[in-house]
Amino acid sequence: MDGRVRDVEQLSAALTQHEDQYLWDADATLEAATAFEAAALRLGDERLATRARLLQANMLMRKGEVSGAAQRIWKIHQWATEHGDHLVQARTHLVWANIHRHLGDAAQSLEHSLLAVELLDDTATDHMRVWHRAKLADALGAAGSMDAARDQYAQAEELAVRLGLPQLLMGMLNNYAYTEFATGEHARAEAVAQRLQDVAAEYGFVLDPAVLDTIGAIEIENGNYTQAEETLRLAVARHHDGRYEDADSLAEFMLTLARAQRFLGATDRAQVSLDKSRALCLERELGDVLVRVHQEQAELHAARGEYADAFAVHKEFFAAHNALHSSQREAQARTRQAMFETTEARREAERFREQARRDPLTGLRNRRYLDEQLPALVADGGSLTVAIVDLDHFKRINDQLSHEVGDQVLVLVAKLLETELAAVAPEGFVARMGGEEFLLALPGTDVPQATDQLDGIRRAISSYDWTALTHGLPVTVSIGVAGLSDAAAATQSGLMSTADRNLYVAKHAGRNQVVAGSRDRRAGSYRNGANAA
């Protein structure tokens, strides 16, 4: 096997292994993803590099750097769409859904989650088939469509069992239990939590602390306070094993434990647990958890009959809650701005590109557009005719009527040129070269045919009813025509130079006429033919 092919396959397998994990060490995976991108670029494989960038965005998302993830996601999506890569598209939409979930936009999260499932094809991994459906169920639940969410959870569970992915089944059931809990369906949540524990027992899995925290919270809501305290103590103990090091995890577990103990009436134990949670929040700057610690402290004071203290702490909670809400809104605004700037950048670039190639007065193409397009038409080598059009006695219109009227004349002439050219040469274009001078490009048209067509355009302008605008002053044009065979050199400059020479002849032959001709290379003479009114 070729060495490069082997390296590509090994890198792809390593990426898949990281992409299809259920739990990540975000920092370590981000570091690995950065190394994967560098390796892919060395191999010259843009698809692998794009996958590595998507993995980086996902890890930034999970580290809480939502705006960083949002800034990266559009380019990844653009590459996947342009290359028809459904696998990368599906994974991209799943990360995008998570970004919108953090922004509190349930509708957009649901839309991206649905696309993440719809884009699954034969290249999708078994992990994706299960997890993308589970995340669609999560999004449906967050959007309030619990019946539809339950259907998707059932499909994800059936797939996980059939494909032999019990660990993924555990993750899906944990999310399912929490979704039921969050929507107030505590009895259903308890049933799903029991199913989760049954699966763990069947496969010999140890319930991780986050799962135990979910189970404990459900037990509290169902009044099983003693069992909840045991569950949360187990979560704390397993966290201390050292395998679970998310910054806010232990503070969350201690807070939930304090709630269970308060409901048991064990207010002293509850205070100890709550103090530990508060200390962790202050040490690790966990503002979100600290707000809920204040709330629980007020509840604990009230449970002990300390109503003045409860009121004082409640005011602290209210102030902290408002501060956190403001901070979250600012963070969401930054992320939305990052997403807007990223997604709009391409559109804005296209709009600015278009504006830069348009004449602001007439709306026609300008000299920049002409210099970009005409060389390619010349290089094609087919039939091509260009014409330079100049308004006759335009200075008189400006001097006798006004520059404002002159501008209106230019706009109307531009419209007539564009309309008339579209009828005879749909593939052509009109550009304003500056002042009262325009250029018409007629690809696929030889000079004799173009000359007749251009004379029709000349007549359309001279016969237009200008009375209301110019009060009797005529508006006519002179036109110099050139084809590739006429030019001394088959270049843009050679073509335009010949057209300009013919325009000069038309002007000095009395104006309001079309002149086409060819340069005799042997004698240096200049033959021309003119059509005029």
Side-chain angles (χ1 to χ4, degrees):
M1 181 186 293
D2 177 77
R4 181 185 177 279
V5 173
R6 183 174 59 252
D7 290 343
V8 166
E9 290 181 351
Q10 289 175 349
L11 180 56
S12 180
L15 269 166
T16 301
Q17 183 180 6
H18 282 76
E19 290 164 338
D20 283 356
Q21 286 182 5
Y22 160 54
L23 296 172
W24 289 274
D25 179 330
D27 287 322
T29 305
L30 180 59
E31 184 178 348
T34 303
F36 290 155
E37 180 186 9
L41 292 174
R42 285 195 298 271
L43 290 168
D45 194 311
E46 187 60 27
R47 182 174 188 272
L48 290 178
T50 301
R51 288 173 59 189
R53 292 175 192 130
L54 179 56
L55 184 57
Q56 292 167 26
N58 193 12
M59 292 308 103
L60 289 172
M61 178 77 246
R62 293 179 180 278
K63 283 165 57 69
E65 299 176 24
V66 185
S67 61
Q71 287 173 328
R72 295 167 181 248
I73 205 72
W74 173 257
K75 286 185 178 180
I76 297 167
H77 174 263
Q78 184 180 23
W79 182 93
T81 301
E82 289 175 353
H83 291 81
D85 194 320
H86 289 176
L87 190 73
V88 175
Q89 282 180 285
R91 291 190 188 275
T92 301
H93 281 293
L94 201 64
V95 177
W96 226 332
N98 205 17
I99 290 171
H100 283 290
R101 181 179 64 81
H102 277 261
L103 291 173
D105 192 336
Q108 283 294 312
S109 180
L110 177 57
E111 181 178 340
H112 285 289
S113 297
L114 184 61
L115 287 168
V117 171
E118 289 179 342
L119 285 163
L120 296 177
D121 58 20
D122 293 341
T123 65
T125 65
D126 289 346
H127 180 282
M128 292 177 70
R129 297 179 198 281
V130 175
W131 196 240
H132 284 222
R133 284 178 173 82
K135 297 309 290 180
L136 173 57
D138 292 347
L140 285 165
S145 301
M146 276 308 299
D147 287 340
R150 291 178 188 120
D151 287 342
Q152 288 298 323
Y153 282 128
Q155 288 184 35
E157 181 173 356
E158 188 275 330
L159 268 175
V161 171
R162 178 159 55 85
L163 296 172
L165 298 171
Q167 190 168 21
L168 208 55
L169 175 59
M170 290 279 292
M172 184 276 297
L173 288 172
N174 182 54
N175 286 10
Y176 185 11
Y178 183 81
T179 301
E180 293 284 13
F181 168 76
T183 54
E185 294 286 350
H186 300 139
R188 287 179 181 270
E190 186 174 28
V192 178
Q194 187 57 57
R195 167 79 174 129
L196 172 59
Q197 293 172 82
D198 292 342
V199 171
E202 179 182 353
Y203 289 97
F205 291 142
V206 174
L207 294 174
D208 68 62
V211 172
L212 289 169
D213 186 58
T214 299
I215 294 171
I218 293 169
E219 288 170 339
I220 290 171
E221 294 302 325
N222 285 307
N224 301 321
Y225 306 129
T226 300
Q227 183 60 47
E229 184 178 24
E230 292 178 9
T231 300
L232 269 302
R233 285 194 181 281
L234 183 57
V236 171
R238 288 187 179 166
H239 178 87
H240 285 305
D241 288 345
R243 291 175 291 171
Y244 311 98
E245 294 299 332
D246 288 347
D248 62 350
S249 295
L250 185 55
E252 290 274 12
F253 305 154
M254 298 305 301
L255 176 57
T256 312
L257 176 59
R259 290 187 64 236
Q261 291 164 334
R262 171 171 61 83
F263 280 115
L264 276 172
T267 55
D268 289 343
R269 294 205 304 272
Q271 188 64 63
V272 170
S273 299
L274 196 59
D275 288 344
K276 290 180 179 178
S277 181
R278 180 185 294 105
L280 287 164
C281 290
L282 295 173
E283 176 189 337
R284 301 178 183 182
E285 299 182 347
L286 306 175
D288 183 24
V289 185
L290 185 59
V291 168
R292 286 179 282 124
V293 166
H294 288 315
Q295 185 179 24
E296 180 58 29
Q297 184 66 73
E299 295 283 358
L300 190 53
H301 278 308
R304 291 194 293 238
E306 302 162 354
Y307 299 114
D309 290 334
F311 180 68
V313 173
H314 182 75
K315 288 195 294 184
E316 288 183 43
F317 156 71
F318 189 72
H321 172 77
N322 286 342
L324 177 66
H325 186 60
S326 175
S327 175
Q328 288 174 334
R329 282 187 300 179
E330 289 175 6
Q332 288 177 345
R334 287 194 299 271
T335 301
R336 288 187 184 279
Q337 180 66 18
M339 291 184 69
F340 174 80
E341 289 172 352
T342 303
T343 56
E344 285 293 307
R346 179 171 170 270
R347 298 175 191 168
E348 283 298 306
E350 289 297 323
R351 282 199 289 268
F352 289 143
R353 185 179 186 278
E354 178 67 13
Q355 290 170 3
R357 286 150 183 79
R358 289 279 182 185
D359 172 54
L361 175 65
T362 64
L364 293 177
R365 304 293 187 178
N366 62 13
R367 183 60 186 255
R368 177 179 292 183
Y369 179 88
L370 169 66
D371 289 342
E372 289 176 348
Q373 298 299 315
L374 195 54
L377 293 176
V378 171
D380 283 345
S383 297
L384 172 65
T385 299
V386 300
I388 298 177
V389 179
D390 188 86
L391 268 71
D392 298 326
H393 301 298
F394 183 66
K395 185 176 184 299
R396 184 169 61 188
I397 294 174
N398 278 335
D399 291 346
Q400 294 185 22
L401 299 176
S402 73
H403 285 280
E404 182 180 353
V405 172
D407 284 349
Q408 293 179 51
V409 169
L410 287 172
V411 170
L412 270 172
V413 168
K415 186 65 175 177
L416 288 168
L417 289 173
E418 195 168 40
T419 302
E420 295 293 327
L421 183 68
V424 297
E427 301 301 317
F429 65 84
V430 185
R432 184 184 179 197
M433 296 177 66
E436 64 270 26
E437 198 168 69
F438 303 86
L439 181 134
L440 281 65
L442 294 83
T445 310
D446 58 24
V447 170
Q449 180 186 9
T451 301
D452 289 340
Q453 293 168 342
L454 290 162
D455 196 54
I457 293 173
R458 177 193 63 77
R459 291 195 303 272
I461 292 171
S462 63
S463 63
Y464 183 81
D465 185 3
W466 296 97
T467 305
L469 185 58
T470 64
H471 306 292
L473 282 180
V475 177
T476 62
V477 296
S478 299
I479 304 176
V481 185
L484 280 177
S485 60
D486 300 336
T491 62
Q492 174 182 338
S493 59
L495 192 61
M496 291 180 65
S497 176
T498 302
D500 193 56
R501 188 190 301 266
N502 283 343
L503 175 63
Y504 178 85
V505 172
K507 287 285 189 183
H508 285 267
R511 295 183 171 82
N512 191 23
Q513 57 188 282
V514 179
V515 172
S518 62
R519 185 177 185 278
D520 188 322
R521 293 178 176 81
R522 291 172 299 173
S525 62
Y526 193 81
R527 304 191 303 272
N528 74 79
N531 291 314

